[in-house]
């Protein structure tokens, strides 16, 4: 392990579910030539500043997620998309520390492959399906040039995140409310999950 971010220790020291499983995963990742930091409130493992993997504590399980997981060979079908809109990331779910130990060699091989992808500069070809701008967002952009410019200046991933969030609301009033709730963040150039 090249570098360690001291903020990460608090994550692992927290008296929360899956503490043992998360520490076991961390031990495996720390033996790889990765840097450890905290991103999106979770430990993130990078190779030369490129995101390789992250560890998540969720309600009913913990997970080791690979940012380019869709490119990893997964002959046993252990990796799963974290959500229905996930195009590139894949996660390996754990519920017991014995499961982490049983799959240690598989985890090591996935980590090594993920690092190799970064070293080779491999990019994921994402499905760039056109995302629909909801009418409420279009109206807001037509009425507020600063808001329109700020939204269009967001990175494609940040725009996509907002569009998915806005569009999943079934009622117009909810879409308007979501847009209003995130206006300040958009004007600051931040994504939904940025600090």
């Amino acid at each position: 392990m090249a570098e360690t971010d001291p903020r990460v220790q608090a994550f692992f020291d927290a008296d929360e579910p899956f503490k043992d499983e998360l520490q076991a995963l961390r031990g495996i990742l720390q033996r790889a030539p990765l840097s450890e930091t905290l991103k999106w409130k979770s430990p993130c493992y990078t190779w030369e500043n490129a995101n390789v993997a992250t560890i998540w504590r969720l309600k009913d399980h913990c997970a080791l997620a690979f940012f380019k997981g869709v490119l990893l060979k997964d002959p046993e079908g252990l990796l799963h998309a974290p959500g229905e809109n996930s195009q590139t990331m894949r996660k390996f779910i754990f519920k017991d520390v014995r499961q982490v130990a049983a799959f240690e060699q598989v985890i090591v091989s996935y980590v090594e492959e993920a690092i190799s992808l970064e070293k080779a500069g491999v990019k994921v070809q994402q499905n760039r399906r056109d995302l629909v701008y909801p009418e409420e967002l279009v109206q807001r952009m037509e009425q507020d040039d600063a808001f329109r410019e700020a939204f269009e200046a967001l990175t494609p991933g940040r725009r996509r995140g907002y569009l998915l969030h806005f569009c999943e609301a079934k009622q117009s009033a909810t879409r308007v409310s979501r847009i209003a709730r995130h206006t300040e963040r958009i004007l600051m150039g931040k994504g939904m999950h940025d600090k």
Side-chain angles (χ1 to χ4, degrees):
M1 169 102 347
E3 300 173 25
T4 300
D5 185 330
R7 300 173 299 160
V8 176
Q9 194 60 47
F11 177 91
F12 289 103
D13 288 344
D15 191 21
E16 298 282 343
F18 305 107
K19 183 174 183 175
D20 293 338
E21 292 79 3
L22 293 166
Q23 289 178 342
L25 289 169
R26 182 188 196 194
I28 295 168
L29 289 162
Q30 285 184 320
R31 291 192 298 270
L34 298 169
S35 296
E36 182 181 63
T37 189
L38 195 71
K39 293 185 181 185
W40 309 286
K41 300 180 183 177
S42 295
C44 185
Y45 298 85
T46 64
W47 181 81
E48 294 191 2
N49 295 319
N51 295 330
V52 172
T54 186
I55 296 176
W56 293 332
R57 176 186 288 119
L58 302 161
K59 289 180 184 176
D60 62 346
H61 66 274
C62 65
L64 170 61
F66 294 93
F67 288 90
K68 293 182 180 176
V70 72
L71 298 178
L72 297 177
K73 297 177 189 111
D74 184 26
E76 296 181 49
L78 300 170
L79 300 176
H80 306 281
E84 64 182 63
N85 295 309
S86 299
Q87 292 186 34
T88 62
M89 187 171 268
R90 294 294 179 265
K91 70 178 181 176
F92 194 158
I93 297 170
F94 298 95
K95 295 185 178 186
D96 186 279
V97 72
R98 290 172 298 200
Q99 185 186 15
V100 176
F103 285 101
E104 182 171 353
Q105 289 309 311
V106 174
I107 296 166
V108 168
S109 69
Y110 286 2
V111 170
E112 289 172 350
E113 185 181 356
I115 293 169
S116 293
L117 291 169
E118 290 305 326
K119 286 180 178 179
V122 177
K123 303 288 184 198
V124 177
Q125 295 298 320
Q126 293 191 31
N127 177 3
R128 294 288 182 193
R129 61 181 181 243
D130 291 331
L131 292 174
V132 176
Y133 279 54
E135 183 59 34
E136 297 81 3
L137 181 62
V138 171
Q139 288 176 357
R140 175 64 192 269
M141 293 171 83
E142 288 174 351
Q143 297 167 356
D144 186 342
D145 288 337
F147 178 83
R148 178 183 46 74
E149 289 172 12
F151 192 82
E152 290 174 352
L154 292 172
T155 63
R158 288 183 173 116
R159 276 195 312 268
R160 182 176 188 271
Y162 281 121
L163 290 171
L164 289 170
H165 181 62
F166 298 156
C167 289
E168 70 185 8
K170 293 182 176 138
Q171 297 183 12
S172 177
T174 305
R175 288 189 291 274
V176 168
S177 172
R178 287 182 178 186
I179 293 165
R181 187 174 334 121
H182 292 287
T183 293
E184 184 176 335
R185 297 182 66 73
I186 291 168
L187 291 171
M188 293 186 326
K190 293 184 175 184
M192 288 179 49
H193 305 291
D194 295 341
K195 284 190 174 191

